Amino acid sequence: HAVGEEAAAWLAGAVSPGTVITVSWGLTVEAMSACLRRGSTTGVHVVQLHGSGNVASIGENYAGEVLGRFGAAFGARVHLLPVPAVFDSEQARDVMWAERSVREVVALRDRSDVLITSIGTSNGETPSRLYSSGYITQDDLDALEAQHVVGNLGSTFFRADGTSDRIDLNRRTTGMPLDQVRRIPRRLLVVAEPRKATALHAALASGLATHVVVDPAMTRQSLYVAMTRARGDNVAHVVLDDPHPD
């Protein structure tokens, strides 16, 4: 809850009239969305970072609920991306990407001013929804391990060195290419699990974030390594259990 509050406070200061906010879905961003406070900003757009459909246990309604909270907080128009998180084939994704309704959302996503996301991994205490809700098959998981993947940002997978090329599953997912992510001016990573430290290191070292909010469970050593290896300027917000210890 404290991580969500800190992230929500950061976003409130980052939004101005006309801001385009691109938002992922997942447990950490969901927690952040519950902490948002209503404001009175005009002309704001909230865009879904990656698809979420075609799974029985979790679908567009979940992503819509999370993004709807962002929309309500800023009086924003919400733009859902009406596609699966992972397609069955590269060809199916190409066909869907040609649809006008999808192209319009992707075009707006490409104009993002602010990105709100977390990092997904398969080894957390609570596995990320992308891994636990049926989006990815066991064959996919085996292939990701063989290709040395340590995490994903909005369903775009990357290795410990921050690279995402030649990862087969990325040709079927709906997230942003990482070179496009890096062009978004303000990029907030919200990380609430220490087991995501390796993926956080990779994300910061490869320039995927300008700001990060982490909780006290992320050790000082892990955070120091992540920040010192980061590309460019980064700002870390660390939520403390007790900001005034004896």
Side-chain angles (χ1 to χ4, degrees), residues 89-91 93-94 166-173:
S89 68
E90 186 177 355
Q91 292 76 16
R93 187 181 76 163
D94 291 343
R166 299 187 306 278
I167 295 174
D168 294 338
L169 192 57
N170 282 342
R171 295 198 292 268
R172 295 192 282 116
T173 58

Side-chain angles (χ1 to χ4, degrees), residues 107-178:
L108 185 59
R109 186 182 73 174
D110 291 344
R111 292 170 37 211
S112 300
D113 301 299
V114 177
L115 173 67
I116 304 297
T117 187
S118 186
I119 295 173
T121 66
S122 61
N123 65 342
E125 293 181 13
T126 303
S128 301
R129 283 187 181 270
L130 187 64
Y131 296 90
S132 65
S133 297
Y135 290 103
I136 299 175
T137 67
Q138 186 59 51
D139 286 343
D140 292 330
L141 291 172
D142 292 343
L144 291 174
E145 182 176 1
Q147 293 168 336
H148 308 292
V149 166
V150 298
N152 78 88
L153 189 155
S155 76
T156 299
F157 294 87
F158 56 85
R159 304 178 185 87
D161 62 359
T163 59
S164 59
D165 58 310
R166 299 187 306 278
I167 295 174
D168 294 338
L169 192 57
N170 282 342
R171 295 198 292 268
R172 295 192 282 116
T173 58
T174 54
M176 247 183 172
L178 298 187

Side-chain angles (χ1 to χ4, degrees), residues 51-67:
S52 60
N54 287 4
V55 177
S57 60
I58 174 175
E60 284 186 359
N61 289 339
Y62 171 75
E65 180 180 348
V66 173
L67 270 73

